[in-house]
Amino acid sequence: MWYTWIILDKRTLKIPFASEKHALIAKQTIEVDPELQPHAVKRIITVEENVLIAAFSTLTIRLARLVANAFLENVDLVVRTLEQFGEEAENPPSS
Amino acid sequence: MPGKIRKTPLMEAGRDYLALGLEGSANKFGAGIMKHPKDGAATVLSNIRHTYITPPGEGFQPRDTALHHREWALKIINDCLAKAGVSMHEIDCICFTKGPGMGAPLQSVALIARTLSLLFNKPLVGVNHCVGHIEMGREITGAQNPVVLYVSGGNTQVIAYSRQCYRIFGETLDIAVGNCLDRFARIINLSNDPSPGYNIEQEAKKGKRLVSLPYATKGMDVSLSGILSAVEAYTLDKRLHEEGAEDKDLITPQDLCFSLQETVFAMLVEITERAMAHIGSKEVLIVGGVGSNERLQQMMGIMAHERQGQVFATDERFCIDNGIMIAQAGLLSYRMGYETPLAKSTCTQRFRTDEVHVAWRN
C-alpha cells in the first residue's frame, strides 16, 4: 500500500523564491541527488511559475516523514544561499 | 617557484584565473580562493575554515556535522570573498569536494556549490579530497616528485606519481592513523579543542615510558585497529595511574600517548621508506591533518636524512582540511578543460586517489 503525499509548498510566500529563476535553481540543485532508497521512495519535483512543488510516494509513513524532512532541510539550505547571494547575482559589476 | 622549467601539459595561464574551493568532507568546513595569475606563481587570496568541535569523549556524527556545515558555510564563503576582495562574478569556477568523506556533510556542501553555480552561471568542478591535499602540498613546498604520505583522520596512504596518476603504494588495511589517534583521545577523555590529535601530541611530550604495543606493518601496508585495541586494553590495566613515578611500575595516560605515537609513526615511516626505496625518490611530502604533528615530521626527517633526502611539510593552514586545496586542484583540472556537469555533481563516500586522471602533469 502506497502512502501518497503532495507537498504544495504554501510557505513559498515566506521562502524567498522571488522568481521562477530561483525556483528552477532549487529544483535543479535538489534533484541531482538520488533518493537514498529509490525502491521505497518515489519523488517528482516540478516548478510552476515561482512555486517549487514536490510530490512523494513512500511505502511507510515513517519514510514519508523522513523524506519530507530531508527535502525541506535541503530547500532551506538552497533558500538561504539564494538569499545571501541572490542580490549580488542580479547586479554584475560593469567592467 | 622552483621547477617551472620542466615541460608540463599545463599551458601558461594567458590570463588571471580565480577559483573558489569549498571543502566539507569531515568536521571542518573550509572555503578558499586561489588565483593563478597570467604570469607568476599561484597565490592564495583567502583561506578560511571553521571546525566542528565535539565535547571530550565524543566523536562527530554525520548528521550533526552536516548541520554544522549548513550553519556556517554561507558566512565563511562571504568572509572568504570579502578577504580576497573579489566578487563571485570574477570567479572562473566553483570547486567542491566530490569525495571521499562523510555523506551528509559532503552533500550539504555540494548543494551550496550547485546553487552558486546556477545563480552566477559558473562551471562546477568536483575534486578528489586526497588529490587536493597533494596538489596544495606540492604548490606550497615546491617539492618536485616526492613520495607523498597522506595521513589524516579518514585516510592513510603512501602515494607516488606516475604517468598522470597518483598511485597508491601502501595504505591502511583498516582504520586511518588519525582515526586511531582520535579514538584513543576519546577513550582517555582528552579535549577535542583544537583537535584531539594536537592534544595527544602535547600529552605525548610528557610521556616517559614506552609500553609494548604490536607493530603491524604488512608489507607496504599498515594495520592499525589491533594497535588501538591494545592501547585501549592498557587503560583498563591495574597499573594505570594519572601520575607515574620513576621507580614504580606505573603507566600514565601520557606514557600511552607517547607509546602510541612512537609505534604508529614508526610504522608510517617504514612504509614510506619502502616506497622511496622502490622508486628511488629522495623527497617525502607529508600532507593531511596528521601531517601537522611535529614528532611525525621529526621521525620522517631522520629517515630521509639517512637516505640523503628531505621532508616537505606544510603548516596547519594547509595540512588540515581546507578550502584552498580544493580550489587549487580544481583550478588545475579546470585549466585542462575538465568540468563537472550538474547531473554528475553528486558526492561519493568512496573515491580512490588513483581514480583521478592527473591531466595537468606529464
mmCIF file of all heavy atoms in Angstrom, chain A residues 52-77:
data_model
loop_
_atom_site.group_PDB
_atom_site.id
_atom_site.type_symbol
_atom_site.label_atom_id
_atom_site.label_comp_id
_atom_site.label_asym_id
_atom_site.label_seq_id
_atom_site.Cartn_x
_atom_site.Cartn_y
_atom_site.Cartn_z
ATOM 1 N N LEU A 52 7.905 26.028 -6.067
ATOM 2 C CA LEU A 52 8.538 24.715 -6.131
ATOM 3 C C LEU A 52 7.557 23.691 -5.574
ATOM 4 O O LEU A 52 7.063 23.853 -4.456
ATOM 5 C CB LEU A 52 9.816 24.725 -5.303
ATOM 6 C CG LEU A 52 10.604 23.408 -5.240
ATOM 7 C CD1 LEU A 52 11.290 23.143 -6.567
ATOM 8 C CD2 LEU A 52 11.645 23.471 -4.137
ATOM 9 N N ILE A 53 7.261 22.635 -6.363
ATOM 10 C CA ILE A 53 6.315 21.613 -5.915
ATOM 11 C C ILE A 53 7.014 20.275 -5.875
ATOM 12 O O ILE A 53 7.661 19.878 -6.840
ATOM 13 C CB ILE A 53 5.117 21.524 -6.883
ATOM 14 C CG1 ILE A 53 4.462 22.888 -7.012
ATOM 15 C CG2 ILE A 53 4.115 20.487 -6.396
ATOM 16 C CD1 ILE A 53 3.380 22.930 -8.050
ATOM 17 N N ALA A 54 6.862 19.609 -4.748
ATOM 18 C CA ALA A 54 7.469 18.283 -4.635
ATOM 19 C C ALA A 54 6.391 17.275 -4.264
ATOM 20 O O ALA A 54 5.609 17.507 -3.345
ATOM 21 C CB ALA A 54 8.563 18.290 -3.584
ATOM 22 N N ALA A 55 6.367 16.120 -4.998
ATOM 23 C CA ALA A 55 5.408 15.056 -4.704
ATOM 24 C C ALA A 55 6.174 13.796 -4.341
ATOM 25 O O ALA A 55 7.078 13.392 -5.056
ATOM 26 C CB ALA A 55 4.530 14.801 -5.927
ATOM 27 N N PHE A 56 5.807 13.182 -3.193
ATOM 28 C CA PHE A 56 6.479 11.956 -2.749
ATOM 29 C C PHE A 56 5.476 10.838 -2.565
ATOM 30 O O PHE A 56 4.365 11.060 -2.083
ATOM 31 C CB PHE A 56 7.165 12.164 -1.392
ATOM 32 C CG PHE A 56 8.329 13.108 -1.431
ATOM 33 C CD1 PHE A 56 8.214 14.404 -0.973
ATOM 34 C CD2 PHE A 56 9.560 12.694 -1.919
ATOM 35 C CE1 PHE A 56 9.286 15.278 -1.001
ATOM 36 C CE2 PHE A 56 10.637 13.560 -1.947
ATOM 37 C CZ PHE A 56 10.498 14.856 -1.492
ATOM 38 N N SER A 57 5.875 9.625 -2.942
ATOM 39 C CA SER A 57 5.105 8.440 -2.562
ATOM 40 C C SER A 57 6.058 7.495 -1.861
ATOM 41 O O SER A 57 7.124 7.183 -2.383
ATOM 42 C CB SER A 57 4.541 7.759 -3.812
ATOM 43 O OG SER A 57 3.520 8.523 -4.357
ATOM 44 N N THR A 58 5.668 7.029 -0.658
ATOM 45 C CA THR A 58 6.569 6.149 0.091
ATOM 46 C C THR A 58 5.818 4.914 0.567
ATOM 47 O O THR A 58 4.597 4.903 0.644
ATOM 48 C CB THR A 58 7.145 6.855 1.332
ATOM 49 O OG1 THR A 58 6.053 7.249 2.177
ATOM 50 C CG2 THR A 58 7.933 8.079 0.942
ATOM 51 N N LEU A 59 6.600 3.875 0.910
ATOM 52 C CA LEU A 59 5.991 2.626 1.330
ATOM 53 C C LEU A 59 5.529 2.653 2.783
ATOM 54 O O LEU A 59 4.686 1.875 3.185
ATOM 55 C CB LEU A 59 6.984 1.471 1.127
ATOM 56 C CG LEU A 59 7.101 0.973 -0.318
ATOM 57 C CD1 LEU A 59 8.203 -0.066 -0.427
ATOM 58 C CD2 LEU A 59 5.785 0.406 -0.798
ATOM 59 N N THR A 60 6.139 3.522 3.603
ATOM 60 C CA THR A 60 5.708 3.620 5.008
ATOM 61 C C THR A 60 5.527 5.085 5.376
ATOM 62 O O THR A 60 6.087 5.981 4.741
ATOM 63 C CB THR A 60 6.759 3.025 5.961
ATOM 64 O OG1 THR A 60 7.957 3.813 5.864
ATOM 65 C CG2 THR A 60 7.067 1.577 5.634
ATOM 66 N N ILE A 61 4.742 5.302 6.405
ATOM 67 C CA ILE A 61 4.531 6.684 6.870
ATOM 68 C C ILE A 61 5.816 7.240 7.447
ATOM 69 O O ILE A 61 6.153 8.413 7.275
ATOM 70 C CB ILE A 61 3.395 6.734 7.908
ATOM 71 C CG1 ILE A 61 2.082 6.387 7.231
ATOM 72 C CG2 ILE A 61 3.326 8.108 8.552
ATOM 73 C CD1 ILE A 61 0.873 6.543 8.116
ATOM 74 N N ARG A 62 6.589 6.387 8.108
ATOM 75 C CA ARG A 62 7.853 6.833 8.694
ATOM 76 C C ARG A 62 8.773 7.384 7.604
ATOM 77 O O ARG A 62 9.391 8.428 7.753
ATOM 78 C CB ARG A 62 8.518 5.650 9.407
ATOM 79 C CG ARG A 62 9.894 5.971 9.963
ATOM 80 C CD ARG A 62 10.538 4.763 10.626
ATOM 81 N NE ARG A 62 11.940 5.051 10.903
ATOM 82 C CZ ARG A 62 12.926 4.853 10.045
ATOM 83 N NH1 ARG A 62 12.684 4.338 8.857
ATOM 84 N NH2 ARG A 62 14.180 5.168 10.361
ATOM 85 N N LEU A 63 8.814 6.670 6.479
ATOM 86 C CA LEU A 63 9.641 7.136 5.366
ATOM 87 C C LEU A 63 9.153 8.469 4.831
ATOM 88 O O LEU A 63 9.947 9.339 4.460
ATOM 89 C CB LEU A 63 9.643 6.101 4.237
ATOM 90 C CG LEU A 63 10.876 5.207 4.142
ATOM 91 C CD1 LEU A 63 10.746 4.267 2.965
ATOM 92 C CD2 LEU A 63 12.137 6.045 4.015
ATOM 93 N N ALA A 64 7.821 8.609 4.786
ATOM 94 C CA ALA A 64 7.258 9.876 4.288
ATOM 95 C C ALA A 64 7.743 11.040 5.148
ATOM 96 O O ALA A 64 8.123 12.104 4.643
ATOM 97 C CB ALA A 64 5.735 9.803 4.298
ATOM 98 N N ARG A 65 7.744 10.805 6.477
ATOM 99 C CA ARG A 65 8.211 11.863 7.386
ATOM 100 C C ARG A 65 9.686 12.169 7.150
ATOM 101 O O ARG A 65 10.106 13.312 7.034
ATOM 102 C CB ARG A 65 7.978 11.421 8.833
ATOM 103 C CG ARG A 65 8.607 12.337 9.876
ATOM 104 C CD ARG A 65 8.228 11.952 11.308
ATOM 105 N NE ARG A 65 8.640 10.606 11.665
ATOM 106 C CZ ARG A 65 9.847 10.274 12.111
ATOM 107 N NH1 ARG A 65 10.773 11.198 12.238
ATOM 108 N NH2 ARG A 65 10.125 9.020 12.428
ATOM 109 N N LEU A 66 10.520 11.098 7.054
ATOM 110 C CA LEU A 66 11.962 11.293 6.889
ATOM 111 C C LEU A 66 12.271 12.014 5.590
ATOM 112 O O LEU A 66 13.089 12.946 5.542
ATOM 113 C CB LEU A 66 12.674 9.936 6.896
ATOM 114 C CG LEU A 66 12.650 9.152 8.211
ATOM 115 C CD1 LEU A 66 13.284 7.787 7.999
ATOM 116 C CD2 LEU A 66 13.378 9.910 9.296
ATOM 117 N N VAL A 67 11.605 11.567 4.521
ATOM 118 C CA VAL A 67 11.889 12.111 3.204
ATOM 119 C C VAL A 67 11.463 13.576 3.128
ATOM 120 O O VAL A 67 12.179 14.426 2.580
ATOM 121 C CB VAL A 67 11.180 11.228 2.144
ATOM 122 C CG1 VAL A 67 10.759 12.028 0.946
ATOM 123 C CG2 VAL A 67 12.057 10.079 1.740
ATOM 124 N N ALA A 68 10.312 13.868 3.708
ATOM 125 C CA ALA A 68 9.835 15.255 3.696
ATOM 126 C C ALA A 68 10.766 16.150 4.501
ATOM 127 O O ALA A 68 11.117 17.268 4.078
ATOM 128 C CB ALA A 68 8.420 15.323 4.266
ATOM 129 N N ASN A 69 11.208 15.653 5.657
ATOM 130 C CA ASN A 69 12.147 16.418 6.482
ATOM 131 C C ASN A 69 13.419 16.741 5.724
ATOM 132 O O ASN A 69 13.892 17.881 5.706
ATOM 133 C CB ASN A 69 12.519 15.602 7.726
ATOM 134 C CG ASN A 69 11.805 16.107 8.950
ATOM 135 O OD1 ASN A 69 11.558 17.297 9.077
ATOM 136 N ND2 ASN A 69 11.467 15.204 9.850
ATOM 137 N N ALA A 70 13.991 15.699 5.114
ATOM 138 C CA ALA A 70 15.256 15.889 4.395
ATOM 139 C C ALA A 70 15.077 16.883 3.260
ATOM 140 O O ALA A 70 15.908 17.774 3.045
ATOM 141 C CB ALA A 70 15.754 14.547 3.854
ATOM 142 N N PHE A 71 13.940 16.735 2.534
ATOM 143 C CA PHE A 71 13.696 17.639 1.415
ATOM 144 C C PHE A 71 13.584 19.078 1.883
ATOM 145 O O PHE A 71 14.201 19.991 1.301
ATOM 146 C CB PHE A 71 12.422 17.223 0.671
ATOM 147 C CG PHE A 71 12.044 18.157 -0.436
ATOM 148 C CD1 PHE A 71 12.714 18.127 -1.644
ATOM 149 C CD2 PHE A 71 11.031 19.098 -0.259
ATOM 150 C CE1 PHE A 71 12.380 19.004 -2.654
ATOM 151 C CE2 PHE A 71 10.696 19.977 -1.267
ATOM 152 C CZ PHE A 71 11.370 19.930 -2.474
ATOM 153 N N LEU A 72 12.838 19.286 2.969
ATOM 154 C CA LEU A 72 12.659 20.661 3.454
ATOM 155 C C LEU A 72 13.969 21.244 3.970
ATOM 156 O O LEU A 72 14.230 22.444 3.812
ATOM 157 C CB LEU A 72 11.591 20.691 4.546
ATOM 158 C CG LEU A 72 10.166 20.460 4.029
ATOM 159 C CD1 LEU A 72 9.183 20.384 5.189
ATOM 160 C CD2 LEU A 72 9.751 21.577 3.076
ATOM 161 N N GLU A 73 14.821 20.403 4.577
ATOM 162 C CA GLU A 73 16.127 20.896 5.024
ATOM 163 C C GLU A 73 16.956 21.348 3.830
ATOM 164 O O GLU A 73 17.660 22.362 3.891
ATOM 165 C CB GLU A 73 16.869 19.805 5.801
ATOM 166 C CG GLU A 73 16.437 19.711 7.241
ATOM 167 C CD GLU A 73 17.132 18.575 7.973
ATOM 168 O OE1 GLU A 73 17.933 17.853 7.352
ATOM 169 O OE2 GLU A 73 16.836 18.412 9.175
ATOM 170 N N ASN A 74 16.902 20.555 2.741
ATOM 171 C CA ASN A 74 17.646 20.944 1.547
ATOM 172 C C ASN A 74 17.096 22.231 0.953
ATOM 173 O O ASN A 74 17.853 23.111 0.521
ATOM 174 C CB ASN A 74 17.596 19.827 0.496
ATOM 175 C CG ASN A 74 18.382 18.604 0.938
ATOM 176 O OD1 ASN A 74 19.198 18.688 1.851
ATOM 177 N ND2 ASN A 74 18.125 17.476 0.304
ATOM 178 N N VAL A 75 15.761 22.347 0.926
ATOM 179 C CA VAL A 75 15.146 23.584 0.421
ATOM 180 C C VAL A 75 15.611 24.769 1.260
ATOM 181 O O VAL A 75 15.983 25.818 0.731
ATOM 182 C CB VAL A 75 13.602 23.488 0.454
ATOM 183 C CG1 VAL A 75 12.975 24.864 0.266
ATOM 184 C CG2 VAL A 75 13.108 22.544 -0.625
ATOM 185 N N ASP A 76 15.641 24.567 2.573
ATOM 186 C CA ASP A 76 16.071 25.640 3.472
ATOM 187 C C ASP A 76 17.484 26.099 3.143
ATOM 188 O O ASP A 76 17.775 27.301 3.079
ATOM 189 C CB ASP A 76 15.990 25.141 4.921
ATOM 190 C CG ASP A 76 16.586 26.131 5.892
ATOM 191 O OD1 ASP A 76 16.012 27.229 6.037
ATOM 192 O OD2 ASP A 76 17.635 25.829 6.486
ATOM 193 N N LEU A 77 18.380 25.140 2.903
ATOM 194 C CA LEU A 77 19.774 25.491 2.607
ATOM 195 C C LEU A 77 19.859 26.274 1.295
ATOM 196 O O LEU A 77 20.561 27.293 1.208
ATOM 197 C CB LEU A 77 20.625 24.219 2.520
ATOM 198 C CG LEU A 77 22.112 24.430 2.275
ATOM 199 C CD1 LEU A 77 22.745 25.261 3.368
ATOM 200 C CD2 LEU A 77 22.833 23.096 2.164
#
